[in-house]
Amino acid sequence: MLIHESADQLLAESEARRYLHIIILNALRDLATRMEIRFAEYGALLYYRVDDRDWELAPPPDELYPLLKPTIREVSRLVCPERPEVSVLVGIPGARYEPLEAGWLTYQLDGRSIDLFVRIDPREPFGFIRFDIDSASEFAESAGEALAAYTTRLSAEEE
């Protein structure tokens, strides 16, 4: 579970958790129905789906993207299925089938909770993290206010 209490609380969080808060708040504010972080050799890419269109956003900082899967595993309730005995007949030699980890991340904002359905492709260093978001419109205004308060607090701290 991730709980947003205040801008000060966000600043006290670890870098990876703070980043996770910020991208979830942005997704809620923008009425996204899906958020996805795709991993590659050179880093990660962040996408939102708004009005059935994917939008590529600024990627996570290089020092954070290796921490995202472990952080999401920490704050989510996931089912990690056992890997079945499967032979991969095509693809990279020695490849293995890795089932997705799936579950829920409960995000609490202004005392209300929203459950984000989470899927993690555990393949390293590749794979993805996907969040499906229902009812973002109920949290859009609160998310916008939380982001504004965080930006104000961050600006004040820099001065």
Side-chain angles (χ1 to χ4, degrees):
M1 175 181 269
L2 274 180
I3 301 171
H4 176 275
E5 295 170 353
S6 67
D8 291 328
Q9 174 253 337
L10 280 185
L11 289 168
E13 294 274 17
S14 69
E15 292 280 327
R17 279 186 183 226
R18 185 177 329 139
Y19 180 80
L20 190 54
H21 275 283
I22 297 304
I23 63 173
I24 290 172
L25 288 170
N26 274 296
L28 292 172
R29 182 199 61 198
D30 295 342
L31 304 176
T33 56
R34 179 180 296 158
M35 181 172 62
E36 190 168 333
I37 304 166
R38 300 177 190 161
F39 296 88
E41 287 180 23
Y42 51 84
L45 300 171
L46 176 62
Y47 292 90
Y48 289 162
R49 175 162 286 179
V50 178
D51 294 329
D52 294 325
R53 294 176 62 192
D54 285 340
W55 298 90
E56 184 176 341
L57 303 171
D62 289 343
E63 65 274 6
L64 282 187
Y65 85 85
L67 303 173
L68 291 176
K69 283 183 186 178
T71 300
I72 291 168
R73 285 179 180 117
E74 251 178 50
V75 298
S76 299
R77 294 177 313 251
L78 297 173
V79 175
C80 302
E82 292 183 26
R83 185 175 348 115
E85 294 297 322
V86 173
S87 297
V88 178
L89 301 176
V90 295
I92 301 169
R96 299 184 320 187
Y97 171 73
E98 295 287 344
L100 296 178
E101 299 170 35
W104 298 97
L105 186 157
T106 300
Y107 193 77
Q108 194 172 82
L109 177 62
D110 287 343
R112 297 181 302 149
S113 297
I114 183 170
D115 285 326
L116 310 176
F117 185 63
V118 179
R119 291 177 186 89
I120 299 176
D121 181 341
R123 294 177 294 171
E124 296 293 346
F126 304 106
F128 63 85
I129 303 167
R130 184 168 128 186
F131 300 87
D132 289 316
I133 306 167
D134 291 332
S135 306
S137 60
E138 296 175 25
F139 293 84
E141 187 176 331
S142 296
E145 291 169 2
L147 287 167
Y150 174 70
T151 303
T152 302
R153 181 69 177 87
L154 200 55
S155 298
E157 192 170 275
E158 288 178 358
E159 293 174 0

